[in-house]
Amino acid sequence: VQLQASGGGLVQAGGSLRLSCVVSRGFFSDYHMGWFRQAPGKEREFVAAINSDGGATFYSDSVKGRFTISRDNAKNTVYLRMDSLKPEDTAVYHCAVRDAAVHTTTLGAYLFWGPGTLVTVSS
């Protein structure tokens, strides 16, 4: 399984970005997907997750109401729409695959990871 995230960049506070993550060499429609982020000097943290059929989504408290996770199983792609961005959202964003059915924010439950895309929010 390979993951490739894209869509990061530099944006002003209050702006929006949409990240994409394409998954290849696997059965995307079977995978539960997550987005995590890692800011400089900090640990990687959970951002959002979506189950395999898109019927359930989960968010961290810090992004709830501002970010939206979605997926297109026909395109093997998961998205993260980020609105009302804040400087504290600055981080490298990674997508990841989880095969366990039960939602969890634990990094170890995610088996495959992409290299990440950098999001920088200026004040």
Side-chain angles (χ1 to χ4, degrees), residues 14 76 83:
N76 288 6
D83 296 313

Side-chain angles (χ1 to χ4, degrees), residues 52-98:
S52 58
D53 65 3
T57 57
F58 307 89
Y59 299 93
S60 67
D61 288 342
S62 62
V63 308
K64 195 173 297 182
R66 299 188 298 121
F67 290 11
T68 304
I69 188 171
S70 62
R71 65 190 295 157
D72 185 340
N73 283 356
K75 296 182 178 180
N76 288 6
T77 303
V78 61
Y79 304 98
L80 185 69
R81 171 73 180 190
M82 305 184 295
D83 296 313
S84 302
L85 282 161
K86 305 174 181 180
E88 52 263 44
D89 294 319
T90 295
V92 176
Y93 284 71
H94 301 266
C95 55
V97 171
R98 186 187 88 240

Side-chain angles (χ1 to χ4, degrees), residues 4 8 18-19 34 36-37 51 80 85 96 100-101:
Q4 183 62 56
R18 189 180 79 158
L19 306 183
F36 291 75
R37 67 186 182 187
N51 70 350
L80 185 69
L85 282 161

